[in-house]
Amino acid sequence: MTGPTTYFDPTHLDELPAKTADLVRRRIAVLGPAYRLFYREPVEFVRGERAHLFDRDGNHYLDAYNNVPSVGHAHPRVVAAIAEQAARLNTHTRYLDAATVAYAEDLLSTFPAHLGNVMFTCTGSEANDLALRIAKVATGGTGVIVTWNAYHGVTTEVAGVSPSLVGIEGLAPWARAVRAPVPAADGGADIAEAVRATLGELEILGLKPAALLVDTVFASDGVHPDLPGLAEAVAAVRKAGGLFIADEVQPGFGRLGSEVPGAQLWGFERPGFGKLGIEPDLVTIGKPMGNGHPIAAVVARPELTAAFAARSRYFNTFGGNPVAIAAAQATLDVLRDEDLPGNAARVGRRLAEGIRSLPFVAEVRGSGLFLGVDLVGPDGTPDEGFTLDVVDAMRQRRVLLATAGSGNTTLKIRPPLPFDHADADRLLEELAAVLAGRR
Ligand code: PMP
């Protein structure tokens, strides 16, 4: 289950400033106890711009955490596109709409040619849910293999394959979890071996595999940009009749950086990846797709959508409506026009180098503007309390971070993509000060 994190603990309500405490109390009264707030002292933002957020008192925060406003908070081109379409018309996908078809063509042009169809949803959870339905129909299988601390969303089906949400013991009967591929140098696990063993176990139980479903940057498993064994794992699943679903909800839309402008938007395309034959059968995308406007999708091989369509029609009331499409098209245009994947590569590289030189940093992993920073405590071993204190001290200095991985000993750095060198310098300066204070 979810362990201790950087979330606010309501038993400390009385320690908050009076105004904040009042709003938190009213919020819990109406939203109930399942919701979480970040940080020991929750924060209320009223405005955002690029990678910068401002609270009610005008305090200026650096956002090094939020990947959804991917082209920057309140990007004027995305705002204008949403406003223009909303002021004119908003219907749904049961009417012809030229902009929807044009966006689908544009989006698909960024994927390998074999991924020729896109189906729109509102959330990443729905996208994974739909991808699993398609995989199950197309393969006749039901077994799903995921990684140990994976998060794929909140529907009943998808929560059942999300151990970071429900725990290994809460997985659906047809789901199995394997360790994320960690390089041998880190004492890691070979995902291929684990997947082969799991396929054997499913076979004994009479469960045919439908899919291997992985986040291609293993975000909730602690951010692992290297993928030892994944190609073999995919091959083993395919041999057993299953499909490979790449969950690109976190790594997608250029976050991992691209050295060639606009050339690489997807985690499964990382250098060497294609050559390894890890081309997915289905891809799920979401979060940054509409820069905060709800739009997500499944991208699929046409044979798979055909198998699905032979059994079922598809309609999602809000999924891919004209306003959502306007937001998504503007987001994709800005991503390319401002070469944000290139910026992610450049700034991310320098940021990673800077962090490597700081005390208490054991390892910096990552690609582009998605970094996982393993911290160790004063005794040189991973220390959850220490890492959570660092995140909180950074929040007090108005820099937003979080943790990743089941042990909460990895800092997660995943800012809006216009994060520039000055932003990186501010983060480095504050992190250096926080860590220096802990010697
Ligand atoms: N997949 C991954 C890898 C995610 O990180 C998330 C959201 N954190 C989802 C799926 C679900 O997306 P949503 O919250 O839009 O349903």
Side-chain angles (χ1 to χ4, degrees):
M1 299 297 275
T2 39
T5 61
T6 47
Y7 296 130
F8 169 67
D9 175 354
T11 62
H12 292 276
L13 197 58
D14 293 337
E15 294 158 34
L16 295 178
K19 242 170 87 181
T20 310
D22 182 53
L23 187 56
V24 171
R25 217 173 270 120
R26 283 172 51 210
R27 177 181 138 117
I28 294 173
V30 287
L31 302 188
Y35 280 88
R36 296 287 179 273
L37 284 162
F38 278 145
Y39 307 119
R40 290 171 194 161
E41 185 182 339
V43 56
E44 182 188 2
F45 295 116
V46 295
R47 186 169 74 79
E49 183 187 323
R50 295 173 65 85
H52 305 271
L53 287 164
F54 300 86
D55 69 13
R56 199 166 280 292
D57 300 320
N59 293 311
H60 175 186
Y61 290 71
L62 178 64
D63 185 358
Y65 172 74
N66 286 294
N67 56 340
V68 174
S70 185
V71 301
H73 287 281
H75 193 291
R77 282 178 66 186
V78 180
V79 172
I82 292 171
E84 192 281 326
Q85 185 64 48
R88 205 155 42 79
L89 180 72
N90 200 14
T91 53
H92 53 74
T93 50
R94 280 181 172 149
Y95 297 106
L96 276 171
D97 179 51
T100 303
V101 177
Y103 175 69
E105 289 165 349
D106 194 2
L107 178 71
L108 289 171
S109 76
T110 70
F111 283 92
H114 74 281
L115 295 168
N117 282 171
V118 54
M119 295 168 75
F120 297 111
T121 64
C122 302
T123 67
S125 302
E126 283 179 292
N128 280 324
D129 195 285
L130 178 60
L132 288 175
R133 284 179 68 203
I134 294 172
K136 287 180 180 186
V137 167
T139 61
T142 54
V144 178
I145 303 175
V146 294
T147 55
W148 205 254
N149 200 44
Y151 182 83
H152 295 293
V154 293
T155 68
T156 303
E157 175 84 10
V158 174
V161 298
S162 294
S164 81
L165 189 63
V166 298
I168 294 290
E169 67 286 354
L171 287 178
W174 55 87
R176 292 291 180 279
V178 295
R179 297 278 177 195
V182 180
D186 295 341
D190 182 346
I191 194 173
E193 210 172 286
V195 163
R196 276 193 293 265
T198 304
L199 288 167
E201 197 187 315
L202 291 175
E203 194 179 353
I204 291 167
L205 295 171
L207 288 172
K208 192 170 176 287
L212 171 67
L213 167 63
V214 300
D215 165 354
T216 58
V217 75
F218 301 96
S220 54
D221 282 289
V223 187
H224 297 282
D226 298 322
L227 306 150
L230 188 59
E232 287 161 65
V234 169
V237 168
R238 287 205 172 114
K239 197 167 159 214
L243 302 175
F244 174 42
I245 305 174
D247 182 333
E248 292 279 341
V249 168
Q250 294 234 18
F253 287 100
R255 170 153 302 277
L256 302 187
S258 176
E259 301 299 337
V260 185
Q264 189 192 312
L265 294 187
W266 311 111
F268 67 81
E269 292 181 305
R270 284 208 293 290
F273 220 116
K275 274 189 239 124
L276 296 173
I278 319 185
E279 293 202 325
D281 301 293
L282 293 146
V283 180
T284 54
I285 56 181
K287 282 184 184 288
M289 188 170 176
N291 210 42
H293 199 87
I295 178 162
V298 176
V299 176
R301 283 180 19 218
E303 314 86 270
L304 302 179
T305 55
F308 180 76
R311 287 272 196 92
S312 175
R313 65 194 151 76
Y314 177 71
F315 177 62
N316 183 319
T317 302
F318 302 121
N321 73 28
V323 174
I325 293 291
Q329 183 69 69
T331 303
L332 188 56
D333 290 344
V334 171
L335 197 72
R336 287 183 294 222
D337 292 352
E338 297 185 10
D339 185 25
L340 294 176
N343 183 67
R346 287 186 295 276
V347 178
R349 196 164 37 236
R350 226 188 80 194
L351 184 60
E353 271 163 30
I355 294 174
R356 275 190 193 102
S357 67
L358 298 178
F360 301 108
V361 171
E363 185 175 63
V364 182
R365 293 180 299 276
S367 182
L369 279 170
F370 205 144
L371 301 182
V373 179
D374 286 348
L375 293 186
V376 288
D379 71 354
T381 62
D383 182 333
E384 182 172 43
F386 178 87
T387 311
L388 297 180
D389 285 348
V390 168
V391 170
D392 212 65
M394 290 295 280
R395 176 257 177 267
Q396 290 302 330
R397 287 169 172 268
R398 305 198 179 117
V399 178
L400 307 179
L401 301 175
T403 59
S406 52
N408 285 311
T409 54
T410 303
L411 293 181
K412 181 160 69 178
I413 301 180
R414 198 192 49 179
L417 299 183
F419 200 81
D420 60 21
H421 287 301
D423 297 327
D425 288 344
R426 178 172 168 191
L427 191 159
L428 283 170
E429 207 172 287
E430 298 295 359
L431 188 57
V434 163
L435 292 172
R438 261 135 240 275
R439 278 185 200 275

